[in-house]
Amino acid sequence: MCGIVGYVGQKQVGSEVVIEGLRALEYRGYDSAGIAFLRSDKTLCLEKAVGRVQNLEGQLEQIDDTKATAAIGHTRWATHGAPTVGNAHPHYNADRSIAVTHNGIIENYLELKQELEAAGYEFVSETDTEVIPHLIEFHTNRSKTFISGLEKAISRLRGAYALAIVTTKTPDTIYAARLSSPLVLGIAKSAAYIASDPMAITSHTKDVVYLNDYELAAVHKDGSYDIRDYKRAQTVNRKAERLEHNHASGELGNYEHFMLKEMHEIPDTIRAATQGRIRPDSNTVKLGGLESVADQLRFIDRIVIVACGTSYYAGLVGEYLIEEIAGIPVEVQLASEFKYRNEPFSRGTALLAISQSGETADTIAALKKVENYGVLRLGVVNAVGSTIARMTDSGVYCHAGPEQAVASTKAFVAQVSVLTLIALHLSGGNSPLYKPILHELEHLPAKAESILAQAKDIEKLAHKYKDARDFLFIGRNYGYPCALEGALKLKEISYIHAEAYAAGEMKHGPLAMIDENFPTLAIATDSPLLEKTISNIQEIKARKGLVLAIATEGNKDIKRLVSDAFYIPGSLEQTQPILIALVEMLFAYYVAIANGHNVDRPRNLAKSVTVE
Ligand code: F6R
């Protein structure tokens, strides 16, 4: 989704720093880009382009003087108004002395716009953001200092925002403010940075200051900064912290796409999520992130998992795991639904948020909803230092590294791996599954490698099914959330209509859709319920439906029944989801490639969904 980068410093490298930062954020999905920079003559230069950051760079090359000691830039993912140059950020006031980039949505923009129009301000875009530079001008013209007027203007905004602001009035300082949208300052010796994701600035500095809601920061060219909490009207003293983890944007290497690269990283992802946390010598699981809340965890009698999309499906796998292994009732809710529900919530309930980015607006809102309930808030998060990671009382990082393809692959695997560890941890070692699962987790990376080695076979299957207009995914028990995730992966990158059902539900409606043009991917791996799934496959076959099965190596019978089968190595039912998901991801990838789609940046989607 939208991305923000800002620079102020002694060196005249603002334009380059911002463009480089915008490039690092490209993977998040966007439709236009723009930059505003202060020239040495203290005038503000604005350039915007539809499409790639590369287009913007091309425009900058045509300009004589792009040397700048202050600059802000933006990649936009359209919400209010089409992706046009006029709607692209930065937005500016009439005399172009103030430029603003904004992530989020200003909910009261119509009210503010009417008010500003009545005061004589004119608008040139369809965006909600454009009210901000005008509002800043209005209030700064009536205030003693720029910053005090800025504070008044920002206090009037409702909704969600991360803002970067540059002005000719204070050429040595740029500004940042946030409410419900991530923003971080990067601090260096003679420069300071603003970014919506640290990945945009870590090549310049690893010393960062995360802003909290209702904070306005002034960052100066000598690398100093002042932060004010404008809700409480007080100064905030916050030291920079050092990013220990590598946020570097990762290169494509020899892979054709990030999605392919990230699927090939899955064996290492399982290792990174589990290593050091499993002690095979003593048969124990150690989750440092949960140690500080060990006492509270003892009194938990229910867990509500909140998440969106793929993370939600990982949560569904977690539900089966935690209930079966630890015996604690779990409910998984879509964060977007949870935040508006009025449900009873006892203190014995823990809320567990799952998020790759740690910045998903709905998941953040779900955590905020229970802020005053006095309940334990846990996180399973990939992005270190992200909003969700910082909001939760405690949690376990996924350690999957940056995931750049829009469709989540290795992060799902890391989330399921971590949820497996959490289930084992919560069981206190009292489950008969404890040791077998611990043991199996060590063998999973090699099994994932063997699936990757057979990617060509999956590609062949993808070619056979690439022209399907519809697809059904079915599974039972642990196979059911895998079916849901498989259908999501196929539809999001190949645009083929795909639906998932619990196999036992077929007779209750979906069977009516089946004919020779409506293929089914059936998860028919080893499980106590396999025979029942086989019966469901028979029912589909009886209606002339084509069936592609994911089965366990050694099951020769299934080959005779279905049109096609792909075999995964034998594994426990509880650890199979990781292997099944890998096959589904590869299948979706090859179908999308065969149909000529951009797998890393599917249409209409963004990587980090920071608006409701
Ligand atoms: C699908 C996908 C999305 C995300 C969802 C939640 O492949 O990536 O469905 O899973 O937007 O994002 P996070 O996990 O960042 O909260």
Side-chain angles (χ1 to χ4, degrees), residues 53-68:
V53 172
Q54 206 181 341
N55 303 349
L56 179 66
E57 264 185 290
Q59 281 175 219
L60 288 180
E61 277 162 21
Q62 312 300 316
I63 296 175
D64 284 347
D65 180 11
T66 56
K67 290 198 184 93

Side-chain angles (χ1 to χ4, degrees), residues 2 31-35 46-51 74-92 100-104 109 113 123-131 133:
C2 304
D31 44 51
S32 50
I35 184 170
L46 278 134
E47 279 299 323
K48 306 179 192 194
V50 170
H74 191 255
T75 46
R76 174 174 187 252
W77 188 83
T79 57
H80 292 62
T84 60
V85 169
N87 289 333
H89 298 208
H91 289 280
Y92 45 86
V100 175
T101 57
H102 164 220
N103 289 356
Y109 87 100
K113 191 172 174 179
F123 287 78
V124 293
S125 80
E126 301 161 275
T127 66
D128 52 338
T129 304
E130 201 188 347
V131 296

Side-chain angles (χ1 to χ4, degrees), residues 536-555:
N536 300 128
I537 293 175
Q538 296 279 19
E539 287 155 10
I540 293 170
K541 294 277 298 173
R543 272 96 192 157
K544 298 200 175 68
L546 289 180
V547 178
L548 159 60
I550 300 179
T552 305
E553 269 166 18
N555 184 347

Side-chain angles (χ1 to χ4, degrees), residues 205-222:
T205 179
K206 291 214 163 24
D207 293 322
V208 298
V209 180
Y210 289 98
L211 290 187
N212 291 332
D213 282 351
Y214 302 107
E215 286 181 353
L216 167 63
V219 292
H220 313 294
K221 73 170 186 185
D222 60 358

Side-chain angles (χ1 to χ4, degrees), residues 1-2 60 72 117 135 196 221 224 229 259 300 354 356 365 419 461 507 527 532 544 573 586:
M1 250 179 183
C2 304
L60 288 180
I72 58 170
E117 276 172 340
L135 196 66
S196 52
K221 73 170 186 185
S224 63
D229 180 329
M259 185 174 171
I300 292 306
I354 306 176
Q356 186 286 124
L419 287 163
L461 290 170
K507 284 196 268 307
S527 108
K532 292 187 189 297
K544 298 200 175 68
E573 199 191 1
L586 286 161

Side-chain angles (χ1 to χ4, degrees), residues 307-312 354-360 363 388 403 405-409 411 415 485 488-489 492 605-609:
C308 304
T310 285
S311 298
Y312 170 78
I354 306 176
S355 177
Q356 186 286 124
S357 62
E359 303 296 354
T360 300
T363 313
I388 295 176
E403 191 183 55
V406 163
S408 186
T409 55
Q415 289 164 343
E485 170 57 12
L488 174 63
K489 215 86 305 170
E492 72 179 317
L605 297 181
K607 182 66 184 162
S608 180
V609 186

Side-chain angles (χ1 to χ4, degrees), residues 316-359:
L316 287 178
V317 179
E319 177 180 21
Y320 283 90
L321 287 166
I322 296 171
E323 292 196 338
E324 184 174 20
I325 302 168
I328 300 172
V330 179
E331 203 182 310
V332 193
Q333 296 200 28
L334 291 164
S336 54
E337 287 296 313
F338 174 81
K339 63 182 178 182
Y340 295 118
R341 270 177 75 164
N342 288 322
E343 60 175 294
F345 212 86
S346 77
R347 287 217 176 177
T349 304
L351 189 79
L352 171 61
I354 306 176
S355 177
Q356 186 286 124
S357 62
E359 303 296 354

